[in-house]
Amino acid sequence: MPFVEIEGKQVEVDEDGFMTDPAAWFEACAYYFAKGEGIEQLTDDHWKVINYLKEYYATNGIAPMIRKLCKETGIPLKEIYELFPSGPAKGACKLGGLPKPTGCV
Amino acid sequence: MSTETAKGLRQPKRANEKLFRTLGIEPVPDEKKVEEAIRHLDDFRNKLRSFVVTMENCVKCGLCADNCHTYLGTKDPNNIPAGRADLIRKAYKRYFTPQGKLFGPLVGAEELTLETLEKWYSYFYQCSECRRCSHTCPFGLDTAEITMVGRQILFWLGIGPQLHTATAGAILKTGNHMGLTKAGIIDTLEFLAEEIEEDRNGLKVEFPTDKPDSDILYIPSSADFMLNPNTLKGAGMFFKWVGANWTMSSRITEAGNFGYLMDQTRIQREMVTRLYEECTTLGIKKIVWGECGHGWRAAKMYVASYSDLPGVAKIPMTHIHDEVAALIESGQLDLDPTRNSQKITLHDPCNYVRACGLCDQMRVIMRAVTSDFVEMTPNRERNFCCGGGSGVLFDDPAMYEYRILASNKKAEQVRETEAEVLCAPCSICKAQLYPMVKEHKLPVEVVGLIDLVGHALVFPEE
Ligand code: SF4
Ligand code: SF4
Ligand code: SF4
């Protein structure tokens, strides 16, 4: 598996550049992956989404249904796509250190 | 090797060796790959009559070319169904026919090389296994079967897309493609029940999971838990309306079967084994399948022959569309079609109409639950694939571009109907059509069929 260097630490990622171990995430990871996604700045709304994803994942071991994400963060889907151009399931998960969703997405 | 380095071939990002090892596959070193592939081809030709028939009989009439959406979209001759099958056929001739052994290229025979295997990887993952070619071919030659042989051999060699291989990993771990956990499943279902209660005037719908002594086991697509909530809700409302004693199972929350799309042995069998174990545990009398094209084909056509448990193989299995259509025809559902009054068209999932005989049922439902239904052309068994079939839902740039090209024909069909809503009752179709309508700038909303049923069902307590 490939590794990337974030703030001097070696972080393992999969073939799609997603972290393989969500527990190894630290804040600088979000900034690092944001760059790759073409996201210039992380706003409060970005963090709201990322934090909710991480929290949900920690409890449930999976990313939430997209509609639930919108409802709980109060950010409509359209705006989530503006925040994370490759979408909530892919872009936002990547920044939060969640694994890439598999299957029919 | 990645997309960029494989000699100008369009290829999906591939899984690494570590991932293959978690599936029990030790990747074959390059110097052994060709030899191994030939050995597997030899096995297939001894086992699989459909393979031999397709290898021996193509007359290169060219009829299949304009009937394959991948060729229409890319104009790449290797995407002509006969061209795709030729990637194996040339080797078949070279090693297994007397003329090929003697005259080689003169009779279209060619040595198998690593380069050809790279082409297999490229073109067998551009085929959606939609079978439109076999419907057109005067001999009924089925290139989808050849694609399956090609993908299976590649899998055994340790070559496969990251997407399919990682999904296979999720299957072994959780019994579903998305890697849904029981906690996630229950939380999502509670959320959906709340949504229904809010939207439908306090209507209470239960979504039982792992409930013992259930009569019906409903098998949803795991993607419905992430992307298609209305399909799940529709199913829940339908079962409530008919008063079914039903459940879902957290051990097999998956209507699809990526094993069928890549490894029709170990991975495909895993799903079947789980299915039957759960039927036994929960006392199931009938299995009802959710919206998933390839998954319904894998279930309807392959499950019985994959089951090692002959007793449970007798449990009847139907598709939720069969159930709904039958009750509509016998006048047992109270439906209000004006609740779905937008102009709506239906995309026929290839696997339903060309591999499962599920076709008229969708029309029975459409006419009963919508008020402005318009067919696209061509339709039914002549319909074109959405371009995402067999899980070619890749998002690396070259393959994403391919997906959109492969959906040109579908976009044209949808545009001609001037519909506002596009009903696509298959999870892969949905996952393909959400971005497809955006890229082709089609002003339509993509929905499932059971979504519409749920919306149209009239409950006395509402
Ligand atoms: S239609 Fe059939 S016989 Fe004709 S080229 Fe295609 S596969 Fe071959
Ligand atoms: S199965 Fe479908 S995608 Fe594959 S070659 Fe035939 S028509 Fe083309
Ligand atoms: S994804 Fe849908 S349209 Fe495409 S092959 Fe499967 S069933 Fe057909």
Side-chain angles (χ1 to χ4, degrees):
Chain A
M1 293 253 179
F3 284 85
V4 294
E5 193 179 303
I6 304 174
E7 280 193 342
K9 286 197 192 112
Q10 292 291 311
V11 175
E12 192 179 19
V13 294
D14 71 8
E15 300 304 303
D16 289 309
F18 282 62
M19 286 176 66
T20 53
D21 177 13
W25 184 92
F26 51 99
E27 212 175 291
C29 297
Y31 290 100
Y32 176 88
F33 293 121
K35 256 184 266 151
E37 291 282 302
I39 301 168
E40 300 278 318
Q41 249 183 350
L42 289 182
T43 61
D44 287 353
D45 278 351
H46 282 107
W47 281 111
K48 219 192 247 177
V49 174
I50 294 172
N51 288 332
Y52 180 70
L53 284 177
K54 291 185 64 61
E55 201 185 293
Y56 191 92
Y57 188 86
T59 323
N60 297 296
I62 182 80
M65 173 178 271
I66 290 174
R67 197 129 91 205
K68 178 152 183 167
L69 171 74
C70 297
K71 203 164 180 178
E72 299 287 329
T73 57
I75 306 174
L77 188 59
K78 211 175 140 256
E79 282 172 35
I80 292 192
Y81 270 98
E82 282 160 17
L83 295 171
F84 303 94
S86 61
K90 288 174 182 164
C93 283
K94 192 177 209 171
L95 268 62
L98 272 66
K100 184 174 184 175
T102 45
C104 305
V105 286
Chain B
M1 213 183 293
S2 71
T3 321
E4 303 78 52
T5 52
K7 301 186 192 79
L9 289 174
R10 207 192 287 270
Q11 292 181 331
K13 199 170 290 170
R14 59 184 81 179
N16 63 32
E17 301 197 338
K18 190 172 160 191
L19 186 50
F20 266 102
R21 287 195 188 102
T22 63
L23 305 178
I25 293 292
E26 182 55 43
V28 176
D30 278 356
E31 62 276 15
K32 290 257 168 65
K33 281 195 172 88
V34 168
E35 182 192 325
E36 277 285 284
I38 296 170
R39 193 176 61 76
H40 288 308
L41 281 176
D42 200 14
D43 278 352
F44 272 114
R45 106 191 143 96
N46 289 319
K47 264 193 331 223
L48 215 63
R49 189 177 154 272
S50 56
F51 174 64
V52 177
V53 168
T54 301
M55 288 295 103
E56 296 279 353
N57 287 301
C58 176
V59 296
K60 301 290 181 322
C61 68
L63 269 177
C64 50
D66 285 341
N67 283 286
C68 173
H69 61 288
T70 74
Y71 176 64
L72 291 177
T74 62
K75 292 293 172 195
D76 180 336
N78 286 317
N79 272 329
I80 294 174
R84 193 180 327 273
D86 261 1
L87 295 173
I88 288 187
R89 194 179 281 114
K90 285 180 181 158
Y92 175 93
K93 285 198 172 155
R94 165 64 183 78
Y95 300 103
F96 309 124
T97 67
Q99 317 88 290
K101 282 182 197 162
L102 283 174
F103 304 115
L106 285 177
V107 292
E110 210 176 89
E111 301 257 334
L112 188 63
T113 62
L114 274 180
E115 242 166 70
T116 316
L117 289 177
E118 289 300 325
K119 284 191 189 159
W120 285 20
Y121 182 52
S122 174
Y123 292 103
F124 293 137
Y125 280 98
Q126 289 183 61
C127 170
S128 65
E129 303 181 347
C130 76
R131 303 184 73 236
R132 199 168 196 281
C133 49
S134 88
H135 182 263
T136 318
C137 172
F139 301 95
L141 303 185
D142 192 347
T143 301
E145 293 274 339
I146 305 309
T147 292
M148 288 173 191
V149 167
R151 287 184 180 192
Q152 180 72 67
I153 295 176
L154 289 169
F155 177 80
W156 283 329
L157 297 177
I159 302 174
Q162 170 72 14
L163 172 63
H164 290 64
T165 317
T167 302
I171 287 176
L172 295 189
K173 225 192 271 167
T174 59
N176 67 73
H177 293 164
M178 302 241 5
L180 299 171
T181 58
K182 184 165 181 175
I185 290 167
I186 290 174
D187 181 77
T188 303
L189 293 172
E190 278 169 5
F191 173 74
L192 293 181
E194 281 165 27
E195 274 204 342
I196 295 176
E197 213 175 323
E198 280 166 28
D199 297 348
R200 300 289 289 264
N201 239 330
L203 181 67
K204 288 208 178 358
V205 175
E206 270 179 66
F207 291 90
T209 307
D210 301 334
K211 182 167 73 67
D213 301 319
S214 296
D215 295 335
I216 291 174
L217 176 63
Y218 177 61
I219 303 288
S221 162
S222 65
D224 294 353
F225 285 77
M226 176 72 84
L227 291 183
N228 322 308
N230 293 338
T231 305
L232 260 179
K233 284 177 12 184
M237 286 190 261
F238 169 69
F239 287 124
K240 178 183 168 78
W241 209 96
V242 300
N245 173 21
W246 72 294
T247 189
M248 287 181 270
S249 154
S250 64
R251 281 197 73 238
I252 173 85
T253 316
E254 186 55 74
N257 193 329
F258 262 51
Y260 173 70
L261 305 178
M262 178 174 71
D263 171 33
Q264 299 189 344
T265 54
R266 161 84 171 95
I267 306 293
Q268 185 168 355
R269 184 181 297 272
E270 171 75 17
M271 303 296 264
V272 178
T273 307
R274 279 175 179 258
L275 175 68
Y276 281 137
E277 282 172 359
E278 281 305 273
C279 287
T280 312
T281 311
L282 302 171
I284 299 301
K285 302 194 179 61
K286 182 175 179 176
I287 302 164
V288 177
W289 218 260
E291 291 190 348
C292 173
H294 82 274
W296 179 228
R297 182 179 184 201
K300 183 171 178 174
M301 302 302 175
Y302 295 72
V303 155
S305 58
Y306 269 89
S307 169
D308 302 319
L309 308 162
V312 274
K314 295 197 183 94
I315 298 174
M317 186 159 59
T318 65
H319 192 282
I320 190 160
H321 295 170
D322 291 321
E323 297 290 313
V324 176
L327 290 177
I328 288 173
E329 287 193 309
S330 59
Q332 291 182 65
L333 296 182
D334 189 0
L335 295 158
D336 177 5
T338 63
R339 287 187 187 172
N340 298 309
S341 61
Q342 284 166 295
K343 188 167 193 175
I344 182 165
T345 189
L346 173 68
H347 161 68
D348 286 281
C350 313
N351 279 296
Y352 288 168
V353 291
R354 279 193 290 275
C356 292
L358 180 56
C359 183
D360 290 337
Q361 298 91 317
M362 290 189 283
R363 269 100 196 145
V364 168
I365 301 173
M366 279 299 262
R367 281 192 291 267
V369 302
T370 69
S371 58
D372 192 5
F373 168 43
V374 44
E375 290 273 13
M376 63 175 76
T377 320
N379 55 48
R380 297 173 180 256
E381 71 283 356
R382 300 221 13 93
N383 193 31
F384 278 97
C385 173
C386 61
S390 75
V392 296
L393 299 167
F394 309 112
D395 58 8
D396 31 313
M399 293 310 288
Y400 184 77
E401 182 198 59
Y402 157 78
R403 277 169 66 188
I404 301 306
L405 290 174
S407 66
N408 284 354
K409 186 71 198 174
K410 180 54 49 188
E412 186 187 306
Q413 283 186 281
V414 175
R415 202 181 300 280
E416 278 166 7
T417 64
E418 294 179 357
E420 299 156 273
V421 181
L422 169 58
C423 176
C426 153
S427 269
I428 292 185
C429 302
K430 287 170 194 159
Q432 162 73 353
L433 293 171
Y434 293 138
M436 186 284 262
V437 300
K438 195 181 85 202
E439 302 290 349
H440 287 285
K441 302 197 169 51
L442 288 167
V444 295
E445 184 193 349
V446 177
V447 302
L449 184 50
I450 295 305
D451 317 27
L452 301 169
V453 173
H455 199 222
L457 270 176
V458 180
F459 288 85
E461 65 263 47
E462 259 182 288

